Amino acid sequence: MPRSNVNELREPKDMTNSPITPQTYHLTTPNSPLSPRICRETVAMLLSTNGHDPRVADTARTLVSEVVTNAVRHTKTPTVRLETAVTADGVRVAVYDDSPAGLLVPPEVARETYGTYDDEGGRGLLLVRALAQGWGVGGAYAPGRVGKHVWFELRDH
């Protein structure tokens, strides 16, 4: 009598507690009101799948939403590029657009110009500054292109 293969079927291995090697993921979305949600859920899924603290994923959701929303609302870029580098102890997220960087504003001027934590809007970079272990603004996605990226880093607590 032939043996059944049913016993050989197993649930997929749970990868959430496995050590990971650093991996970088890229996502390009249209400049659309849906982009912040798509990007934040992508980053949260990558962190969860790689076994990171759920609090890091929650903070990443907030910061990704803020940075991608800024790109969608305040630029005419046709696409928004998300780069997510997941490491053993955290994540580095960069959001690229094709809009020039403009002038970087010191934090005290940003508070006066763009609002405070209690304001309804204009607090995205204030949140990034407060919640990320590191953040900044850099150049375009590719050499010779116009644009910038805003990046931040989060680490497991």
Side-chain angles (χ1 to χ4, degrees):
M1 196 175 215
R3 289 185 58 189
S4 169
N5 289 336
V6 173
N7 291 335
E8 293 176 23
L9 297 176
R10 298 180 194 155
E11 290 295 313
K13 182 180 175 189
D14 180 8
M15 298 298 287
T16 58
N17 293 319
S18 313
I20 63 165
T21 42
Q23 298 288 325
T24 301
Y25 302 86
H26 301 269
L27 174 67
T28 301
T29 67
N31 186 339
S32 156
L34 295 175
S35 293
R37 180 177 184 186
I38 291 166
C39 291
R40 77 174 168 253
E41 295 307 322
T42 298
V43 172
M45 181 268 309
L46 290 170
L47 289 168
S48 174
T49 300
N50 283 290
H52 285 284
D53 187 323
R55 294 173 294 185
V56 173
D58 288 342
T59 301
R61 275 189 185 98
T62 300
L63 300 186
V64 169
S65 286
E66 294 294 340
V67 175
V68 175
T69 296
N70 282 349
V72 168
R73 289 175 124 189
H74 302 296
T75 72
K76 293 181 180 5
T77 187
T79 58
V80 175
R81 292 175 186 87
L82 175 73
E83 182 179 274
T84 308
V86 181
T87 63
D89 67 342
V91 66
R92 183 179 195 276
V93 175
V95 176
Y96 292 84
D97 63 57
D98 294 332
S99 182
L103 297 174
L104 294 179
V105 181
E108 56 278 357
V109 175
R111 276 192 291 282
E112 293 170 15
T113 306
Y114 300 113
T116 65
Y117 294 107
D118 296 332
D119 290 342
E120 189 73 20
R123 65 180 192 269
L125 291 180
L126 291 172
L127 284 172
V128 172
R129 181 172 177 246
L131 298 176
Q133 278 74 43
W135 76 281
V137 177
Y141 185 74
R145 294 196 60 156
V146 173
K148 67 179 172 310
H149 71 277
V150 176
W151 63 269
F152 64 85
E153 293 178 348
L154 298 171
R155 288 184 280 289
D156 287 329
H157 303 306

